[in-house]
Amino acid sequence: MKQMTKSLALIAAASGVVLGVLTPMSASADSRTPALKWTKCEGGGLDPRQQCATVSVPMDYADPDGPKIEIAVSRIRAENPDARRGALLLIPGGPGGDSMNDPSRKGQKLPQKVRDAYDLIGFAPRGMAPSTAVDCGLEHRDLARTTLLPWPSPDGSVDANMAAAKRVSEACARNGGELIRHISTLNEARDLDRVRAALGERKVSAWGVSYGTYVADAYLKLFPRRTDRVVLDSNDNADPVLAERAWVAAYEWGAEDNFPEFAKWASAPGNPDRLADTAAEVRPLFLELAARLDREPIPWPGANPEELNGNVLRQTMLDSFYDPDDYPALAKLILAAQKGTVPPAPAGPPEAVLQNVTAVGAATICNDGDWPSDPAVYVKGVAESRAKYPLTGGMPRNAMVCAAWPWEPKEAPVHVSDRGPSNILMVQNERDVATPLAGALKLREALGRRAVMVLNDSTGHDAYLDNGTACGDAIVSRFLATGARPARDVHCR
């Protein structure tokens, strides 16, 4: 499942921690983390070699001897023991994603030399089932994609968004338990160091994707000398102040970067889902249809919400831009809406899964960084965004649940720096709706000499072994297998 919300920063609360100063609370993890007990994994369709285990970690790292929670971990061993180098953490996107099945699935796309060299390690971050899980018990309407990302009303009003933020925050405070206050990016990084220790590894390598790049940034900040080879794939802007607010705002650029590619595809002769004769006609067609659906939504039984309105169309646009293979879904919806009809309602995950994903996503984003509570901030931002970036209708600068979150962040967002080992390879697509190039370049600048970037002339989210280039894939694979890294940034066309 692709996660459309991203997250940042950290809720750590170490004893003696001053806001903005990060202390590796699990520095003694090696001596206090017991070895893992591996068993057969539950679930179907998994590689029979995959094993599962759990690691006990503090719920609150400021109270390491207090209540514990469980972190679920999975593994497929290195395929050539003689060539084994260590463990490769598969760090998922999100927040609200997990990589428990990745050793069996995504990990098997890795070339043989990489699979020979590493134990492939997946995990479910704190709060995500099958780890100790959280659930806010939200109303069905608050699980809608157009509620979770803060699309304003057709007239630009943010009143409904502020009301939703209050409902969701109150539900999380009521039903989320103590754990929801301790879900954060920094604590996920600390949990990963407990996993490292339980694996018996002095150092770990990592492949972080999307939000996983921020988790890797946090690990690199807390435990720089415990990292081996680190791949950052589809990179979030590690803004040291705005945290996830910068990620949501980045959809403005992401949509603009990607729409021309969709327009070329949607106007190509021979396309069964062709929308227009020329690429130049597709943008006004989309904007006019979205405005019409703002005024006259089409009933859509079984969907959430049960209507196709302008914001649902805009959200479908963003979702489809994650992977060009999903362009037909957007085009078919546009063609149906032009006729006043809708396709069958899209299938989604079970509601229990949505509840869990939403609770972890909200907790991470809100515990990681501070969000304004004054509606006027969002009114101003939405108006500016709607005028400058009409494709995204003001959503990127609007109020998420964090505008009413009942707790203050316990730590400042991660501050990425150029101090530390030079062992990072970034891979980034030029046209990425969720983690656009503009933000990735800010991370590249912050890392300085520690990193080299591979920039793909490609479209879509998830670059390595997915929507990137053969050139980029080869460079990343060689780095993981041998440690060889280009001397300078590379542009793969």
Side-chain angles (χ1 to χ4, degrees):
M1 172 180 174
K2 292 180 178 176
Q3 304 303 321
M4 311 320 242
T5 50
K6 306 269 176 185
S7 49
L8 245 103
L10 323 102
I11 166 186
S15 50
V17 167
V18 179
L19 190 66
V21 179
L22 306 183
T23 303
M25 299 305 299
S26 56
S28 58
D30 298 74
S31 62
R32 57 198 304 175
T33 305
L36 296 170
K37 296 179 180 179
W38 296 101
T39 62
K40 178 179 173 59
C41 296
E42 297 182 3
L46 298 176
D47 190 306
R49 298 172 298 171
Q50 182 171 306
Q51 301 170 299
C52 288
T54 58
V55 180
S56 181
V57 304
M59 180 167 64
D60 180 357
Y61 278 95
D63 182 17
D65 297 319
K68 301 296 191 289
I69 59 173
E70 299 298 316
I71 303 299
V73 182
S74 60
R75 174 184 73 177
I76 291 181
R77 286 184 177 274
E79 295 182 22
N80 182 356
D82 292 336
R84 184 184 183 278
R85 181 175 180 84
L88 178 66
L89 299 177
L90 307 176
I91 307 180
D98 74 84
S99 59
M100 284 296 289
N101 293 337
D102 282 0
S104 289
R105 298 175 184 169
K106 173 180 172 178
Q108 297 310 301
K109 296 169 64 177
L110 289 162
Q112 187 66 51
K113 286 187 177 181
V114 178
R115 302 201 311 273
D116 284 346
Y118 296 100
D119 295 348
L120 305 179
I121 307 298
F123 68 100
R126 58 170 51 208
M128 287 293 304
S131 297
T132 305
V134 294
D135 185 321
C136 291
L138 302 181
E139 298 178 29
H140 179 71
R141 61 175 171 163
D142 289 329
L143 297 172
R145 301 276 301 127
T146 48
T147 301
L148 300 178
L149 280 179
W151 295 95
S153 299
D155 62 356
S157 168
V158 306
D159 292 348
N161 305 103
M162 295 300 293
K166 186 173 186 293
R167 280 196 313 273
V168 173
S169 292
E170 289 177 348
C172 288
R174 186 169 59 248
N175 303 317
E178 181 65 18
L179 174 56
I180 204 161
R181 303 182 63 178
H182 301 283
I183 294 173
S184 72
T185 301
L186 273 182
N187 280 343
E188 182 173 333
R190 293 181 174 116
D191 292 343
L192 285 179
D193 200 56
R194 294 297 178 109
V195 171
R196 176 204 57 79
L199 291 169
E201 301 290 339
R202 187 174 62 87
K203 292 185 176 184
V204 285
S205 294
W207 174 17
V209 181
S210 191
Y211 166 67
T213 65
Y214 193 66
V215 177
D217 291 338
Y219 193 90
L220 286 158
K221 182 70 175 180
L222 291 174
F223 311 106
R225 303 298 170 183
R226 297 178 186 172
T227 60
D228 188 14
R229 299 167 184 166
V230 179
V231 173
L232 304 181
D233 177 352
S234 305
N235 297 267
D236 274 310
N237 173 13
D239 190 295
V241 176
L242 296 179
E244 282 88 340
R245 286 177 62 200
W247 301 356
V248 179
Y251 278 114
E252 293 175 340
W253 309 314
E256 293 292 342
D257 288 347
N258 281 262
F259 199 93
E261 295 300 307
F262 171 72
K264 285 190 291 186
W265 173 89
S267 58
N271 183 347
D273 300 310
R274 192 180 191 192
L275 298 179
D277 292 332
T278 67
E281 296 173 278
V282 178
R283 183 185 179 99
L285 179 155
F286 177 86
L287 293 173
E288 289 166 12
L289 178 60
R292 192 187 89 194
L293 292 171
D294 282 338
R295 300 187 301 270
E296 303 169 1
I298 302 170
W300 202 356
N304 186 16
E306 290 200 336
E307 65 178 28
L308 173 56
N309 57 40
N311 285 337
V312 171
L313 180 68
R314 296 179 185 101
Q315 181 63 58
T316 304
M317 172 196 67
L318 294 184
D319 292 349
S320 300
F321 285 0
Y322 274 65
D323 189 330
D325 289 344
D326 295 333
Y327 286 173
L330 175 59
K332 290 180 190 301
L333 185 62
I334 291 172
L335 291 168
Q338 287 176 324
K339 300 174 184 175
T341 63
V342 290
E351 185 153 318
V353 173
L354 281 176
Q355 290 281 5
N356 184 212
V357 167
T358 303
V360 173
T364 308
I365 293 170
C366 301
N367 291 334
D368 271 1
D370 195 23
W371 287 64
S373 59
D374 183 357
V377 173
Y378 303 108
V379 170
K380 181 176 183 291
V382 165
E384 292 174 350
S385 184
R386 280 162 61 93
K388 192 171 182 179
Y389 301 99
L391 287 173
T392 44
M395 179 276 291
R397 302 193 205 180
N398 200 2
M400 291 190 72
V401 56
C402 311
W405 198 245
W407 305 290
E408 293 295 319
K410 295 185 178 183
E411 291 182 286
V414 174
H415 191 280
V416 175
S417 78
D418 59 1
R419 300 180 64 183
S422 181
N423 61 348
I424 302 165
L425 182 63
M426 300 173 63
V427 58
Q428 177 71 33
N429 288 345
E430 288 188 23
R431 296 168 295 279
D432 183 329
V433 69
T435 55
L437 178 58
L441 290 175
K442 291 181 179 179
L443 177 60
R444 173 69 188 89
E445 181 181 9
L447 288 169
R449 63 167 188 84
R450 300 179 66 189
V452 172
M453 175 183 274
V454 177
L455 179 60
N456 292 317
D457 181 4
S458 191
T459 302
H461 193 54
D462 293 359
Y464 180 46
L465 302 180
D466 195 351
N467 289 313
T469 64
C471 159
D473 289 351
I475 292 172
V476 177
S477 294
R478 184 167 58 250
F479 171 67
L480 286 173
T482 71
R485 194 180 66 167
R488 57 186 62 84
D489 293 354
V490 177
H491 193 189
C492 285
R493 299 183 184 278

